[in-house]
Amino acid sequence: MSITLLANGDFSAGKSAQASVTSRVASVYSEVQATRIDHELPLPSVLRKPFKIVNGPPSSAAGNPDEIAKLFPCLFGQPSAVLVPSDSEANQTNQKLKIGCVLSGGQAPGGHNVISGIFDYLQERAKGSILYGFRGGPAGIMKCKYVELTSDYIYPYRNQGGFDMICSGRDKIETPEQFKQAEETALKLDLDGLVVIGGDDSNTNACLLAENFRKKNIKTRVIGCPKTIDGDLKCKEVPTSFGFDTACKIYAEMIGNVMIDARSTGKYYHFVRLMGRAASHITLECALQTHPNITIIGEEVAAKKQTLKNVTDYIVNIILKRADLGYNYGVILIPEGLIDFIPEVQQLIAELNEILANDIVDEGGLWKKKLKDQSLQLFEFLPPAIQEQLLLERDPHGNVQVAKIETEKMLIQMVETELEKKKKEGPYLGEFKGQSHFFGYEGRCGLPTNFDSAYCYALGYAAGALLQNGYTGLISSVGNLAAPVEEWTVSGTALTSLMDVERRHGKFKPVIKKAMVELEGAPFKKFASLRNDWALYNRYISPGPIQFVGPASNAANHTLLLELGAQV
Amino acid sequence: MSITLLANGDFSAGKSAQASVTSRVASVYSEVQATRIDHELPLPSVLRKPFKIVNGPPSSAAGNPDEIAKLFPCLFGQPSAVLVPSDSEANQTNQKLKIGCVLSGGQAPGGHNVISGIFDYLQERAKGSILYGFRGGPAGIMKCKYVELTSDYIYPYRNQGGFDMICSGRDKIETPEQFKQAEETALKLDLDGLVVIGGDDSNTNACLLAENFRKKNIKTRVIGCPKTIDGDLKCKEVPTSFGFDTACKIYAEMIGNVMIDARSTGKYYHFVRLMGRAASHITLECALQTHPNITIIGEEVAAKKQTLKNVTDYIVNIILKRADLGYNYGVILIPEGLIDFIPEVQQLIAELNEILANDIVDEGGLWKKKLKDQSLQLFEFLPPAIQEQLLLERDPHGNVQVAKIETEKMLIQMVETELEKKKKEGPYLGEFKGQSHFFGYEGRCGLPTNFDSAYCYALGYAAGALLQNGYTGLISSVGNLAAPVEEWTVSGTALTSLMDVERRHGKFKPVIKKAMVELEGAPFKKFASLRNDWALYNRYISPGPIQFVGPASNAANHTLLLELGAQV
């Protein structure tokens, strides 16, 4: 039974209304989608009652505070702003606000709830305010492409996945002309505030905007919200980025299913590549949820300066040991960005780019003499299909397309080759059949879990509170996440305090460094203490599909809980 | 929080017990898995109370009844056996039974529940009976490899996905020697009955076994159960095969997520290949659940004698029309077996096999002169990567490996090439980026839906009842599936009545013909009436993750409901 959602928010079973301005109004909803729309969201208790905002001590920067201070003369050193219960609403003005919001970068489940949170805050605490949604990401700010977000407009997107309410984009506001365009939009719409919902780059950008508005005496304040399924935007005050919880649970559902398939069939090694080019948090979290036989963590490969051969050998050794135990099957998790962590691969690709740009790649292979020894050795070690891909597929700049390499298929071929050698040598009698998987797009737009739904709503609600109270250049920060929602803490953290600088083209650029998997952190240590057992014995866990009601519906992910010191 | 399930069925939080004889005992369970174990299963009311079994009129065959009669002299013409309420348990003996069961072929969610159903029937209605599980499929029968299934043994598998309780296999009992082995096992274990849980081939095999035992005056009776995620084992009396419901809902969850991703990003065409080599039921069901822009149904392609170029043009035309509407994105569903439905592809492959076996494939391409015109034309139309795959990858018999062709990637390349032509011709200004997906293994071993859980349990329970009452050569048949479980009907249907013959090696072989998508059936007709609307407008539905509690947890799939005449 499907349910049609009409523009006014009424449901009408079985009928499909005409296509309308927004993509969801008049779409047909599944029962699960429909029941989620009216799911009541809990709020941290501090947001449910009158609160006041208390400033902490001045902040510094994650690194190079002097340079950050120079880059952000108006904002550097801002204290964090903590919401605490208050007897009166004294410090909350009744001023009507004009606020804009924008979704930036790749989708993450929960983005719509951040917007609902901002909207509901304004409705409840600053009646008569207006919320604009910039369309298609930061480009929408620059081109002043926006839509006024009303109650009816937002309604169909409540607790729904995707970013399609206002869509997203990957443009950046970088050049002086682009900053000028943003100013014009802020002035044209008379914006009191702007909420930037995005990852590390977008939040850096948000802070640059905030600094620029402050410098130019434009009243528009800017608050960031931490978004990315990759889980690599986090710090003490911002314990996780939204979307990570849902995406990992979707991938873990699939991995758990594949594990049971592996065990039932007894004849495949499933190589599962998981989305996330930079950090391996998704892979680590999925491992903690499902207990695969082998998990490769990019940060460990980099720290140990492992080669592709080392990684292959590690896999092959476990396969050999499992064959001795009678197991010719298993599940192996691989982070999408694996080869970016391997220095020798980077070196080979740099040399290939050079050769491809300047030389002729002859059939006979004379061109290979231009490769350094180590690179030649690696190239010869690669499966022929990958060699070919490296030579043939180029991006518009003529460079090798590393992102197109299907790491899981490459590893299958390399493992296969090594195992054939072992077979000839004698000790290995098992059968190896690799089966490749890539879990990526299916996780970015799922219905947000109860955790992400509530977390995002609180992030948005807090952003509204911070803007109303005159703050700028902060990132909305919701903490104490291992406790029930009522006990979550709410604050704003100076974006400059998350920053360091990187030198690019001879200039210092501010960056929020990606939070990588910490080899000394609790999640990795737990994984490392268990992986040998998981490798040989089958400790598979199948998390099953995300549940929205019942006892299994409210647990947060392992990474977050372990980092918060909770027992999992 | 994970939960450890100990051998005695007790839960102990957080501790992991030692590995044990069976794979699941002492495994660690997720919360969802754990809550499912104790999920109370409803039974059709006729199975909850005393019943008697009433025979219908004599049956015939699906085709060539004279030949089927010759092949099954003992069993042909058996009536169906219908369970109806009775005032007394008079006709139920208190005889203790020895029953074997076996899982045959690919995994399908719910297999464990069929076994639980048989077990519980025996516990409740034939106390003191013994249930054996043959390990690793039919080979377990032939080698007499079995395990006695006790209450403790079965407990951890209740309502769980996978076939790992006793595992499965693809061997067939075919030769006289193999039948002899099966007889020996039946006699050795003193089996009163055997339940064969499998697809069309396995159920045909079950009937041959039943016939053989009857002919030899061996007391072992044989009952089949309809299993396959492909949904292609069904008839009037057996409205669906188990596993189809769960697998389709898992795939539909992923497709729905990808749709929202497509709409949010606005720049990808997602080509989703779905498991199922023979019939396109899975693809059709997923289309009905999610409303993709384009769906290719193999049976329609075959009926219309379409070429690969026709299919490509169909896709390209919709992409062009969508570009005019401003949509440069979309979702396209493709059945895994698509190319098997295209006669010209079959012809090309036959010619290639011939050439590859007898001739040299020269670099210059002279070998191509041996292809017939139509085949050469098709070969030249194929993307180079596919051409190469056809020439290089062979199975152990030297044949082209059709199954290895990634149809979705092939179509992306063909569509890309056609669109580039259109771009040069002028009218097309859009951008096309294809993104490929294959959803297969993740659907075979998911936690069974409430529907599959209950359906399988009833199938198993009914198989027990039929065996206890002396029936053989029937397939367990549970009907009226659009009604609440209490009102489901329970019977056994003569397996011979599902059969036709095929001529193989000059002999008639009995087969249960695969139920293909009927172009005049209600599911296809509903799809066909809506697809033009779905093609141009975005009517995406995101079914979300399977729910086990709440209003969205009990609906059966569209195909089944539409075939039963219910409104969906």
Side-chain angles (χ1 to χ4, degrees):
Chain A
M1 155 93 155
S2 57
I3 288 160
T4 303
L5 186 66
L6 300 174
N8 58 3
D10 286 343
F11 286 112
S12 136
K15 274 184 270 170
S16 180
Q18 289 304 304
S20 175
V21 185
T22 74
S23 44
R24 291 256 185 141
V25 173
S27 14
V28 180
Y29 273 58
S30 71
E31 277 199 79
V32 177
Q33 286 181 298
T35 56
R36 287 303 286 167
I37 287 187
D38 293 317
H39 169 67
E40 285 254 3
L41 287 171
L43 262 183
S45 65
V46 69
L47 292 175
R48 278 192 276 119
K49 297 172 196 158
F51 59 81
K52 61 184 179 188
I53 301 188
V54 177
N55 289 344
S59 66
S60 180
N64 291 297
D66 295 347
E67 297 302 330
I68 297 296
K70 278 187 235 164
L71 290 162
F72 296 93
C74 305
L75 297 181
F76 179 76
Q78 284 201 110
S80 60
V82 184
L83 276 70
V84 293
S86 160
D87 289 341
S88 73
E89 306 251 3
N91 74 336
Q92 284 164 55
T93 66
N94 275 325
Q95 192 203 345
K96 293 177 188 172
L97 300 170
K98 288 180 186 152
I99 306 289
C101 64
V102 67
L103 294 162
S104 183
Q107 289 91 282
H112 291 147
N113 275 28
V114 178
I115 298 174
S116 313
I118 306 168
F119 182 80
D120 289 357
Y121 181 87
L122 296 176
Q123 288 281 301
E124 288 157 26
R125 309 264 184 147
K127 284 208 194 343
S129 293
I130 294 175
L131 181 62
Y132 299 110
F134 290 104
R135 286 183 169 280
I141 300 176
M142 297 187 277
K143 296 178 193 159
C144 200
K145 235 178 98 189
Y146 65 92
V147 60
E148 188 183 329
L149 299 175
T150 61
S151 177
D152 283 355
Y153 197 102
I154 287 176
Y155 179 74
Y157 298 94
R158 286 182 184 266
N159 302 308
Q160 306 293 312
F163 272 9
D164 47 323
M165 186 203 288
I166 53 174
C167 292
S168 180
R170 294 189 182 272
D171 303 276
K172 285 182 190 170
I173 300 173
E174 285 182 313
T175 64
E177 296 71 37
Q178 289 170 329
F179 274 102
K180 188 92 193 84
Q181 290 174 324
E183 284 166 28
E184 282 163 12
T185 295
L187 293 171
K188 184 177 165 198
L189 295 181
D190 189 31
L191 287 187
D192 296 292
L194 175 66
V195 182
V196 175
I197 303 160
D200 48 343
D201 272 356
S202 308
N203 274 284
T204 306
N205 218 214
C207 197
L208 287 166
L209 269 179
E211 176 74 21
N212 186 59
F213 287 145
R214 176 67 60 90
K215 192 172 78 189
K216 301 264 176 75
N217 268 320
I218 294 168
K219 68 170 176 178
T220 314
R221 304 179 287 277
V222 187
I223 299 292
C225 282
K227 172 232 72 168
T228 164
I229 64 162
D230 295 346
D232 55 10
L233 169 54
K234 61 182 169 187
C235 59
K236 198 173 124 278
E237 297 82 1
V238 180
T240 190
S241 57
F242 76 78
F244 176 74
D245 188 75
T246 307
C248 288
K249 284 173 181 165
I250 291 172
Y251 300 142
E253 175 196 355
M254 298 299 121
I255 295 164
N257 288 358
V258 164
M259 282 171 163
I260 295 189
D261 203 79
R263 180 159 62 191
S264 298
T265 320
K267 64 181 181 187
Y268 292 114
Y269 270 95
H270 294 271
F271 286 62
V272 180
R273 175 169 49 117
L274 291 162
M275 198 168 242
R277 293 216 75 81
S280 298
H281 296 292
I282 289 178
T283 303
L284 178 58
E285 172 63 25
C286 289
L288 290 167
Q289 286 190 33
T290 63
H291 304 186
N293 303 107
I294 298 172
T295 306
I296 310 294
I297 299 296
E299 288 85 342
E300 186 182 26
V301 169
K304 295 185 173 169
K305 299 192 172 54
Q306 291 181 331
T307 63
L308 211 45
K309 177 81 167 67
N310 294 150
V311 174
T312 307
D313 286 345
Y314 172 69
I315 297 173
V316 165
N317 280 333
I318 291 176
I319 291 175
L320 293 176
K321 284 186 193 158
R322 287 179 60 80
D324 285 344
L325 294 169
Y327 301 135
N328 286 300
Y329 64 89
V331 174
I332 299 172
L333 305 189
I334 301 150
E336 189 179 16
L338 175 61
I339 52 178
D340 297 332
F341 286 101
I342 302 177
E344 58 162 6
V345 178
Q346 296 314 306
Q347 176 63 29
L348 169 65
I349 286 163
E351 291 178 34
L352 282 177
N353 282 337
E354 198 61 33
I355 293 169
L356 292 169
N358 304 311
D359 300 291
I360 289 160
V361 174
D362 59 303
E363 287 271 335
L366 284 174
W367 65 271
K368 288 186 200 165
K369 295 201 172 157
K370 300 204 175 74
L371 288 173
K372 290 188 186 145
D373 277 359
Q374 190 206 32
S375 292
L376 178 61
Q377 215 178 327
L378 173 59
F379 187 81
E380 300 289 7
F381 179 62
L382 293 173
I386 302 291
Q387 292 179 350
E388 207 163 298
Q389 204 177 0
L390 287 175
L391 295 177
L392 295 180
E393 296 204 17
R394 324 265 181 88
D395 70 12
H397 310 287
N399 289 325
V400 169
Q401 290 202 281
V402 189
K404 281 222 168 167
I405 295 175
E406 294 173 307
T407 321
E408 74 287 13
K409 291 191 180 169
M410 182 179 78
L411 282 174
I412 288 175
Q413 291 180 48
M414 294 192 304
V415 165
E416 209 163 49
T417 308
E418 292 299 303
L419 284 173
E420 268 160 34
K421 280 189 215 161
K422 300 281 179 196
K423 215 161 209 174
K424 280 183 195 143
E425 291 165 13
Y428 174 59
L429 296 167
E431 287 293 328
F432 173 80
K433 277 189 200 169
Q435 183 63 49
S436 66
H437 303 264
F438 171 51
F439 297 151
Y441 296 90
E442 33 305 53
R444 304 198 311 178
C445 284
L447 280 160
T449 56
N450 283 342
F451 173 82
D452 268 331
S453 297
Y455 179 54
C456 288
Y457 191 65
L459 285 172
Y461 211 88
L466 293 168
L467 285 173
Q468 190 188 27
N469 286 276
Y471 290 89
T472 189
L474 305 184
I475 185 166
S476 183
S477 310
V478 175
N480 198 28
L481 297 174
V485 177
E486 300 80 60
E487 298 166 34
W488 287 359
T489 58
V490 178
S491 60
T493 305
L495 278 163
T496 48
S497 76
L498 275 57
M499 287 187 193
D500 197 341
V501 288
E502 269 181 12
R503 226 175 156 85
R504 287 185 201 160
H505 306 297
K507 273 189 180 171
F508 281 121
K509 286 266 182 193
V511 290
I512 297 175
K513 281 223 172 118
K514 283 189 197 297
M516 308 303 281
V517 169
E518 298 282 350
L519 303 187
E520 291 304 314
F524 183 84
K525 281 171 91 170
K526 177 166 184 187
F527 156 73
S529 73
L530 296 169
R531 64 176 153 185
N532 292 338
D533 181 60
W534 299 349
L536 298 191
Y537 309 105
N538 301 320
R539 309 300 193 194
Y540 302 152
I541 294 190
S542 185
I546 290 169
Q547 297 297 294
F548 295 116
V549 286
S553 65
N554 287 318
N557 58 81
H558 294 234
T559 301
L560 175 62
L561 294 177
L562 288 165
E563 286 180 342
L564 293 174
Q567 289 296 319
V568 182
Chain B
M1 158 91 154
S2 57
I3 288 159
T4 303
L5 186 66
L6 300 175
N8 58 3
D10 286 341
F11 287 112
S12 134
K15 276 184 269 170
S16 181
Q18 289 303 304
S20 176
V21 183
T22 73
S23 44
R24 290 256 184 140
V25 174
S27 344
V28 181
Y29 273 56
S30 70
E31 278 199 77
V32 177
Q33 284 181 301
T35 55
R36 287 304 284 168
I37 287 187
D38 293 316
H39 168 68
E40 286 255 1
L41 288 170
L43 263 182
S45 65
V46 70
L47 292 176
R48 279 192 274 120
K49 297 172 196 159
F51 60 81
K52 61 183 178 189
I53 302 188
V54 178
N55 289 344
S59 67
S60 181
N64 292 297
D66 295 347
E67 298 301 331
I68 295 295
K70 278 186 236 164
L71 290 162
F72 296 93
C74 304
L75 296 181
F76 179 78
Q78 283 201 111
S80 60
V82 184
L83 276 70
V84 294
S86 160
D87 289 339
S88 73
E89 306 250 5
N91 73 335
Q92 284 163 54
T93 67
N94 275 325
Q95 192 202 345
K96 293 176 189 173
L97 300 170
K98 289 180 187 151
I99 305 288
C101 64
V102 67
L103 294 162
S104 183
Q107 288 91 282
H112 291 147
N113 275 27
V114 178
I115 298 175
S116 313
I118 306 167
F119 182 80
D120 289 357
Y121 180 86
L122 295 176
Q123 288 281 302
E124 287 155 29
R125 310 265 185 145
K127 283 205 192 352
S129 293
I130 294 175
L131 180 62
Y132 299 109
F134 290 103
R135 286 182 168 281
I141 300 175
M142 296 187 278
K143 297 179 195 159
C144 200
K145 234 179 98 190
Y146 65 91
V147 61
E148 189 183 329
L149 299 174
T150 61
S151 177
D152 283 354
Y153 197 101
I154 287 177
Y155 180 73
Y157 299 93
R158 287 183 183 266
N159 302 308
Q160 305 293 312
F163 272 9
D164 47 324
M165 187 203 288
I166 52 175
C167 291
S168 179
R170 293 187 183 275
D171 304 274
K172 286 182 189 170
I173 300 172
E174 285 182 313
T175 65
E177 294 72 38
Q178 289 170 328
F179 275 101
K180 188 91 191 88
Q181 290 174 323
E183 284 166 29
E184 283 163 11
T185 295
L187 293 171
K188 184 178 165 197
L189 295 180
D190 189 31
L191 287 186
D192 297 293
L194 174 66
V195 182
V196 175
I197 303 160
D200 49 343
D201 272 355
S202 308
N203 275 285
T204 305
N205 218 214
C207 196
L208 287 166
L209 269 179
E211 176 74 20
N212 187 58
F213 288 145
R214 176 66 61 91
K215 194 173 72 186
K216 302 267 174 76
N217 268 319
I218 295 169
K219 69 170 175 178
T220 314
R221 304 179 286 277
V222 187
I223 298 292
C225 281
K227 173 232 70 168
T228 165
I229 63 162
D230 295 348
D232 55 10
L233 169 54
K234 61 183 170 187
C235 60
K236 197 173 124 278
E237 296 82 1
V238 180
T240 190
S241 57
F242 76 79
F244 176 74
D245 187 75
T246 306
C248 288
K249 284 174 181 164
I250 291 172
Y251 301 142
E253 175 196 355
M254 298 298 121
I255 295 164
N257 288 357
V258 164
M259 282 171 162
I260 296 189
D261 203 80
R263 180 159 62 191
S264 297
T265 319
K267 64 182 181 188
Y268 291 113
Y269 269 95
H270 294 271
F271 286 63
V272 181
R273 175 169 49 117
L274 290 162
M275 198 168 240
R277 293 216 75 81
S280 299
H281 296 293
I282 289 178
T283 303
L284 179 57
E285 172 63 25
C286 288
L288 291 167
Q289 285 191 32
T290 64
H291 304 184
N293 302 107
I294 299 171
T295 306
I296 310 294
I297 299 296
E299 288 84 342
E300 186 183 27
V301 169
K304 293 185 172 168
K305 298 192 172 56
Q306 291 181 332
T307 62
L308 211 46
K309 178 81 167 67
N310 295 150
V311 174
T312 307
D313 286 346
Y314 173 69
I315 297 173
V316 165
N317 281 332
I318 291 176
I319 291 174
L320 293 176
K321 283 187 193 156
R322 287 179 61 81
D324 286 344
L325 294 169
Y327 302 134
N328 286 301
Y329 64 89
V331 174
I332 300 171
L333 304 189
I334 302 150
E336 188 178 18
L338 175 61
I339 53 178
D340 296 333
F341 286 101
I342 302 177
E344 58 161 4
V345 177
Q346 296 313 307
Q347 176 63 29
L348 169 64
I349 285 164
E351 291 178 32
L352 282 177
N353 283 336
E354 198 62 32
I355 292 170
L356 292 169
N358 303 311
D359 298 292
I360 290 160
V361 173
D362 58 303
E363 286 272 336
L366 284 173
W367 66 271
K368 288 185 198 165
K369 294 200 172 157
K370 300 203 176 74
L371 288 173
K372 291 189 184 143
D373 278 0
Q374 190 207 32
S375 292
L376 178 60
Q377 214 176 327
L378 172 60
F379 187 81
E380 299 289 5
F381 179 61
L382 293 173
I386 302 292
Q387 292 180 350
E388 208 163 298
Q389 203 176 1
L390 287 175
L391 296 178
L392 295 180
E393 297 203 17
R394 323 267 180 88
D395 70 12
H397 308 287
N399 288 326
V400 169
Q401 289 202 281
V402 188
K404 282 223 169 167
I405 295 175
E406 295 173 306
T407 321
E408 74 287 13
K409 291 192 179 168
M410 181 179 78
L411 281 175
I412 288 176
Q413 291 180 48
M414 294 193 304
V415 165
E416 209 164 50
T417 308
E418 291 301 301
L419 285 173
E420 267 160 34
K421 280 189 214 160
K422 299 283 178 194
K423 214 161 211 174
K424 281 183 193 144
E425 291 165 12
Y428 174 59
L429 296 167
E431 288 293 329
F432 173 79
K433 278 189 201 170
Q435 182 63 50
S436 66
H437 304 263
F438 171 51
F439 297 151
Y441 296 90
E442 37 298 58
R444 305 198 309 179
C445 283
L447 281 160
T449 56
N450 283 342
F451 173 80
D452 268 330
S453 297
Y455 179 54
C456 288
Y457 192 65
L459 285 172
Y461 212 89
L466 294 167
L467 285 174
Q468 190 187 28
N469 286 277
Y471 289 90
T472 190
L474 306 184
I475 185 167
S476 182
S477 310
V478 176
N480 198 27
L481 297 174
V485 177
E486 300 79 62
E487 297 166 33
W488 287 0
T489 58
V490 178
S491 60
T493 307
L495 277 162
T496 48
S497 76
L498 277 55
M499 288 187 193
D500 198 341
V501 288
E502 270 181 12
R503 228 176 153 84
R504 287 184 200 160
H505 307 295
K507 274 188 178 173
F508 282 119
K509 286 266 181 192
V511 290
I512 298 174
K513 282 223 172 119
K514 284 188 196 298
M516 307 303 282
V517 169
E518 297 283 347
L519 303 187
E520 292 303 315
F524 183 84
K525 281 171 93 169
K526 177 166 183 188
F527 156 74
S529 74
L530 295 168
R531 64 175 153 186
N532 291 338
D533 180 60
W534 299 347
L536 299 191
Y537 309 104
N538 300 321
R539 309 297 194 198
Y540 301 152
I541 293 189
S542 185
I546 289 169
Q547 297 298 296
F548 294 116
V549 286
S553 65
N554 287 318
N557 59 80
H558 294 234
T559 301
L560 175 63
L561 294 177
L562 287 165
E563 285 180 343
L564 293 174
Q567 290 296 317
V568 182

